[in-house]
Amino acid sequence: VKDWAQAPEVITSTRFTPDGKYALAGLLRGQVYLYEADGLKYYTQIACRNRSGKNRKGKKVTGISFLREVDDKSEHSEEHHPSLTERLSETGRSVANLVATKVLGNPEALSTRRTDRMLVSTNDSRVRLYGLNDFCMIRKYKGHTNNSMQIRARVSESGSHIACGSESGHCFIWDVDPNKNRLKKNMINKQIQSTKDKSKSTDYFEASKASLPIVTDTLFFPTKTVRESLLTSKEVFPLSLGMDRIDDDFSSAAILTLDYDGTIRVFIRKTCIDNILEACTPRGGTMA
């Protein structure tokens, strides 16, 4: 054992931050402790609990995931926005870099914007999104039931959607940003229902018919896997020419679910199939 640290309570979930700088420990009472990966020195903590009500004391952390957004300097950005150090004089840049190196330990800290976010699942049937730049809660997702199981939320490869199992036998899907367009309402042979309450803005569908209907885990298929499985299948889409022009988020097109009976199921979003079929017609342009 090279390093060790004593957590104040039972550890129920662990992860490293995407940059590898911190080790995270989710605890029995809803706290998430952050330790520096080098030496496991305590850094800070987050209380994942409600301010009032029956769950104000916090519930077990069942999972931690991360989302990474594209920053302003990414190749996907259409316009370059000068950073703070780019707007300073030469002397000012030297001072800024010195402060970043001595205080923040990173000379690039003032020229890049941190866009990592953390998703925490807890046994109060909540999924909370936190920013890693200030560790403040950005958004709370609810609608599913997770009172005792080790159920964790998962993020699609594009970072646009969240999926989570439920003790009710359903799979729940949220938009990371509820202000953007939500997934369509249909999946193959399944009718997705939508809640009306804005605080529970989610889509869900039945994913288990077991005697004890609990969806223990969910997982989005990677974009590459979905494309290779669907778009290259001549048996399913014999006229699929020019399929690369299909406008669809394939990272949220297929979901794998597991239930308490050990059954594995795969669900495909119907609108993804509709978009492919549309592209296979003369109107879609792939027949030209």
Side-chain angles (χ1 to χ4, degrees), residues 45-101:
Q45 63 176 287
I46 302 172
C48 306
R49 57 182 177 83
N50 293 339
R51 294 182 179 180
S52 60
K54 64 180 182 179
N55 295 321
R56 65 183 180 277
K57 294 183 179 181
K59 294 289 186 178
K60 179 178 69 175
V61 175
T62 59
I64 301 172
S65 302
F66 292 96
L67 295 85
R68 171 160 287 181
E69 291 183 328
V70 178
D71 60 22
D72 291 338
K73 297 176 70 177
S74 168
E75 63 182 4
H76 299 290
S77 300
E78 296 181 359
E79 181 181 357
H80 174 67
H81 301 281
S83 64
L84 174 61
T85 53
E86 291 175 332
R87 295 195 297 265
L88 294 172
S89 64
E90 182 177 353
T91 303
R93 286 197 296 271
S94 299
V95 173
N97 288 331
L98 178 63
V99 171
T101 302

Side-chain angles (χ1 to χ4, degrees), residues 95-110:
V95 173
N97 288 331
L98 178 63
V99 171
T101 302
K102 297 296 184 182
V103 179
L104 302 178
N106 179 10
E108 299 296 326
L110 296 182

Side-chain angles (χ1 to χ4, degrees), residues 188 224-234 236-237 240 243 250 253-254 268-269 272-273 276:
I188 291 181
K224 182 179 179 180
T225 302
V226 176
R227 290 183 66 90
E228 290 179 351
S229 300
L230 293 177
L231 307 189
T232 62
S233 175
K234 299 303 180 181
V236 180
F237 305 108
S240 55
M243 301 292 285
F250 289 102
I268 303 176
R269 178 162 41 84
C272 175
I273 302 298
I276 296 175

Side-chain angles (χ1 to χ4, degrees), residues 155-202:
V155 185
S156 65
E157 190 177 56
S158 66
S160 60
H161 292 90
I162 299 168
C164 188
S166 174
E167 295 171 10
S168 64
H170 297 83
C171 175
F172 285 76
I173 306 172
W174 297 270
D175 276 328
V176 171
D177 184 354
N179 296 321
K180 294 181 180 179
N181 292 330
R182 298 166 58 200
L183 283 174
K184 300 300 181 179
K185 300 295 193 296
N186 293 316
M187 298 183 86
I188 291 181
N189 296 327
K190 295 292 176 181
Q191 183 70 28
I192 290 185
Q193 306 169 52
S194 300
T195 56
K196 301 295 184 180
D197 187 350
K198 193 173 182 179
S199 65
K200 297 182 180 180
S201 181
T202 176

Side-chain angles (χ1 to χ4, degrees), residues 80 113 128 138 143 255:
H80 174 67
R113 187 178 65 181
R128 296 173 176 86
I138 300 172
I255 296 178

Side-chain angles (χ1 to χ4, degrees), residues 18 35 37 72 119 126 135 137-138 143 150 191 200 229 270:
Y35 300 90
D72 291 338
L119 201 64
R126 301 290 185 272
F135 302 105
M137 189 175 74
I138 300 172
Q150 195 78 11
Q191 183 70 28
K200 297 182 180 180
S229 300
K270 185 176 183 297

Side-chain angles (χ1 to χ4, degrees), residues 179-287:
N179 296 321
K180 294 181 180 179
N181 292 330
R182 298 166 58 200
L183 283 174
K184 300 300 181 179
K185 300 295 193 296
N186 293 316
M187 298 183 86
I188 291 181
N189 296 327
K190 295 292 176 181
Q191 183 70 28
I192 290 185
Q193 306 169 52
S194 300
T195 56
K196 301 295 184 180
D197 187 350
K198 193 173 182 179
S199 65
K200 297 182 180 180
S201 181
T202 176
D203 294 324
Y204 62 95
F205 59 92
E206 186 180 21
S208 176
K209 293 183 178 295
S211 56
L212 191 60
I214 298 176
V215 179
T216 56
D217 204 357
T218 59
L219 187 67
F220 286 103
F221 279 83
T223 299
K224 182 179 179 180
T225 302
V226 176
R227 290 183 66 90
E228 290 179 351
S229 300
L230 293 177
L231 307 189
T232 62
S233 175
K234 299 303 180 181
E235 291 77 13
V236 180
F237 305 108
L239 303 178
S240 55
L241 302 176
M243 301 292 285
D244 57 325
R245 291 180 289 177
I246 296 174
D247 183 17
D248 196 281
D249 179 12
F250 289 102
S251 71
S252 62
I255 296 178
L256 181 145
T257 67
L258 294 83
D259 68 13
Y260 203 69
D261 277 359
T263 304
I264 301 174
R265 294 179 174 87
V266 175
F267 297 89
I268 303 176
R269 178 162 41 84
K270 185 176 183 297
T271 52
C272 175
I273 302 298
D274 291 341
N275 289 335
I276 296 175
L277 293 175
E278 175 75 11
C280 290
T281 65
R283 186 172 60 177
T286 62
M287 293 288 291

